[in-house]
Amino acid sequence: ALVKKLFLQGKVVTINQEIDFALAEEIAMEYDVICELEEKIDVIEELLKEEEEDASTLKPRPPVVCVMGHVDHGKTSLLDAIRKENVISGEAGGITQHIGAYVVDIKGEKITFLDTPGHEAFTSMRMRGAMSTDIAILVVAADDGVMPQTVEAINHAKAAKIPIIVAINKIDKPSANIERVKQELTEYELIPEDWGGDTIFVPVSAHTKEGIGTLLEMILLTAEVGELKENPDRKARGLVIEARLDKGKGPIATLLVQKGTLKVGDHIAVGSSYGKVRAMTDDKARKIRSAGPSTPVEILGLDNVPNAGDIFVATDNDKDARRFAETFISEGRERLIEQTKAKLSLEDLFTQIQAGDVKELNIIIKGDVQGSVEALKQSLLKLSNEEVVVKVIHGGVGAINESDVILASASNAIIIGFNVRPDHTAKEIADKEKVNVRLYRVIYNALDDVEAAMKGMLDPVF
Ligand code: GDP
């Protein structure tokens, strides 16, 4: 954050470079801290920095896929069906175990599925600065069609800019209506290929297994187009998928390796925990010694239970691993996360626009009736000017919920509630994540505020 900040001021420094005292003092005043923070921020920069990979070191990696959709449309059933289908098709050895993610093998080509269905899980990770997924499977029940959480899921995937494959589920039901689902989804710019669009639709049944083979093929095809590549020959880094404490074995964490290769014996820092990989098992409970990009593994050897969504890095030695972990503890996880991203609010929008930090104003609208949500959306979009484009990344009817807030946090959006309020959970998360939630009873006032904010003329609220 510090390096970036200096860079924005036109001063190019590298992480290890010393800065002169006057500058240090200036920054220290700004951060309202003494200069020792510098060391701590260095550590975090180091932890979060993404080195540019030389193209020649990159090798194809499996896609990581998540399943989203409305409740009861069959996400869990579909994940189970895919896992079982793959076991039947003849993977030798190992009973499958639930570790939060699993891998299927289709004639030598792999796909990694995240086993926690739902867009909230997906976006919470993104909110922590971690991009976990390459492709979203949108499950829509053929007998029920597009429902509110279907729309949420679509907008979460769109905000993350990942491709969506539509799985129309429950086609075994007599009341299934595939054409109706296709028709309804055109409203959200998901248009089937046979209707001239570019979204893949696969009719499936988690019960009869019909269509599941095709769905897997379509995932591989989409992955191929995305040219997913990573360098396997470097120190590993990735994400915590889930973690728990086992009475006998101590902390157990499922990690998704994203870059490099994780090996037994590696020193790692995982959020505020650290340790040495003592043992590693895959999703089929087999002991393994190394895991490359896109592989989920369960590991033993951490000193503490980390949080889902934490980033892990393999380090050269025990000392570095401990240093990362200690920085997380001493600085407070939340504060560190906060420092890595700027939260948008209407009050400081103008300053951020002027600084060139904001080119898009992302807005989520919730209202009491569809008509006002739509009216507000259309008017807001018209406020776009040369400096900033107004985008409505999600809109819907009903109270502001948890999904809205995590989407806003992950996408640096503000939330406008029109004749609705945040529910209890949403309010709590919004406070914690510092998401700007603004409530209005008159459309004109909402428009007026956004317009004023864009011009730097918004009156502060007390
Ligand atoms: P989730 O809430 O999206 O995870 O949905 P579930 O997987 O729990 O499924 C909800 C209900 O739909 C359960 O009763 C399932 O048995 C049923 N279901 C799921 N997939 C199918 C399907 O392909 N056909 C039929 N007939 N029922 C299904």
Side-chain angles (χ1 to χ4, degrees):
L2 187 56
V3 174
K4 193 159 93 196
K5 175 144 195 124
L6 289 174
F7 184 75
L8 291 174
Q9 293 174 0
K11 291 162 192 140
V12 181
V13 295
T14 63
I15 281 167
N16 298 315
Q17 187 184 327
E18 303 231 342
I19 51 178
D20 68 54
F21 188 73
L23 183 56
E25 204 170 41
E26 193 184 310
I27 295 162
M29 271 164 61
E30 195 170 330
Y31 278 94
D32 195 27
V33 286
I34 40 174
C35 279
E36 72 176 38
L37 185 61
E38 193 190 340
E39 147 82 359
K40 286 174 179 161
I41 294 194
D42 281 357
V43 173
I44 299 311
E45 281 289 337
E46 211 173 313
L47 186 72
L48 297 175
K49 98 181 150 201
E50 292 287 324
E51 301 120 67
E52 198 58 47
E53 294 282 355
D54 182 352
S56 65
T57 62
L58 301 178
K59 303 220 170 74
R61 65 167 177 87
V64 180
V65 176
C66 67
V67 173
M68 304 177 177
H70 195 72
V71 64
D72 280 346
H73 280 198
K75 298 180 291 293
T76 313
S77 308
L78 193 62
L79 278 163
D80 286 347
I82 292 169
R83 186 201 323 255
K84 287 202 192 98
E85 176 96 335
N86 198 239
V87 172
I88 293 162
S89 70
E91 184 129 10
I95 15 125
T96 58
Q97 60 169 357
H98 277 270
I99 65 168
Y102 65 82
V103 180
V104 299
D105 191 315
I106 304 115
K107 302 190 195 90
E109 292 196 78
K110 293 189 165 74
I111 303 172
T112 300
F113 282 89
L114 297 182
D115 214 355
T116 318
H119 50 277
E120 289 90 351
F122 163 77
T123 303
S124 315
M125 291 219 178
R126 205 162 70 79
M127 182 168 85
R128 295 280 157 260
M131 190 60 207
S132 58
T133 312
D134 303 303
I135 299 168
I137 307 298
L138 179 71
V139 180
V140 188
D143 61 338
D144 205 21
V146 172
M147 298 301 277
Q149 288 164 32
T150 314
V151 180
E152 285 181 12
I154 293 169
N155 291 330
H156 279 241
K158 278 190 182 168
K161 300 191 168 67
I162 57 170
I164 298 171
I165 296 177
V166 180
I168 305 180
N169 189 31
K170 308 198 188 185
I171 54 166
D172 57 291
K173 284 193 154 186
S175 51
N177 187 342
I178 298 174
E179 294 304 303
R180 193 190 66 168
V181 174
K182 287 184 172 174
Q183 183 61 51
E184 287 175 349
L185 283 172
T186 56
E187 240 183 83
Y188 303 93
E189 289 143 36
L190 296 176
I191 302 169
E193 287 176 313
D194 48 338
W195 291 10
D198 56 6
T199 305
I200 298 174
F201 282 66
V202 188
V204 299
S205 164
H207 279 190
T208 67
K209 312 276 197 295
E210 187 181 344
I212 290 193
T214 313
L215 178 62
L216 296 176
E217 274 169 38
M218 290 304 142
I219 294 171
L220 286 175
L221 197 72
T222 306
E224 212 172 290
V225 174
E227 292 190 41
L228 308 171
K229 286 181 177 163
E230 235 10 289
N231 173 9
D233 302 311
R234 47 163 279 177
K235 284 201 300 276
R237 62 178 295 152
L239 293 179
V240 179
I241 304 286
E242 45 176 67
R244 66 197 153 89
L245 187 65
D246 181 278
K247 278 202 190 105
K249 296 175 181 162
I252 300 184
T254 297
L255 306 180
L256 174 68
V257 179
Q258 294 182 302
K259 290 165 178 271
T261 297
L262 186 67
K263 302 189 192 76
V264 171
D266 279 353
H267 296 280
I268 56 170
V270 190
S272 54
S273 340
Y274 75 101
K276 189 172 168 171
V277 180
R278 245 184 22 231
M280 204 152 59
T281 45
D282 70 6
D283 56 318
K284 290 157 190 90
R286 296 175 297 207
K287 282 206 174 332
I288 51 171
R289 299 207 56 82
S290 70
S294 302
T295 314
V297 285
E298 205 175 69
I299 64 147
L300 297 181
L302 295 176
D303 68 332
N304 263 306
V305 181
N307 293 298
D310 275 348
I311 293 171
F312 83 82
V313 286
T315 59
D316 284 328
N317 51 50
D318 184 57
K319 194 169 142 264
D320 281 355
R322 199 166 54 214
R323 197 166 58 101
F324 278 140
E326 277 169 0
T327 308
F328 257 85
I329 295 167
S330 67
E331 280 295 273
R333 190 169 172 276
E334 303 304 326
R335 246 195 78 202
L336 286 172
I337 287 161
E338 222 172 86
Q339 280 174 354
T340 61
K341 53 180 184 191
K343 277 290 154 58
L344 192 64
S345 82
L346 279 193
E347 275 77 21
D348 55 15
L349 176 67
F350 184 68
T351 324
Q352 294 195 22
I353 293 173
Q354 293 305 84
D357 287 350
V358 174
K359 299 247 180 312
E360 282 177 3
L361 171 57
N362 287 334
I363 299 178
I364 293 172
I365 307 171
K366 289 305 277 287
D368 54 345
V369 287
Q370 188 60 39
S372 29
V373 173
E374 200 48 42
L376 189 52
K377 176 177 168 182
Q378 294 312 328
S379 312
L380 282 169
L381 295 180
K382 287 197 197 115
L383 295 178
S384 295
N385 59 29
E386 277 135 48
E387 281 159 335
V388 59
V389 178
V390 179
K391 279 193 168 175
V392 175
I393 61 170
H394 179 62
V397 171
I400 297 161
N401 63 23
E402 176 181 356
S403 160
D404 300 325
V405 178
I406 56 180
L407 178 61
S409 177
S411 309
N412 204 15
I414 61 160
I415 301 178
I416 292 181
F418 182 70
N419 282 328
V420 294
R421 309 190 63 81
D423 64 28
H424 183 70
T425 324
K427 182 146 189 359
E428 261 178 19
I429 307 175
D431 287 346
K432 205 171 100 208
E433 295 291 327
K434 301 198 171 50
V435 169
N436 196 204
V437 178
R438 309 187 66 99
L439 306 173
Y440 296 93
R441 296 201 160 277
V442 182
I443 289 188
Y444 177 76
N445 290 348
L447 280 174
D448 215 29
D449 272 8
V450 174
E451 193 172 11
M454 288 170 69
K455 291 182 184 150
M457 285 160 54
L458 185 70
D459 291 330
V461 276
F462 297 104

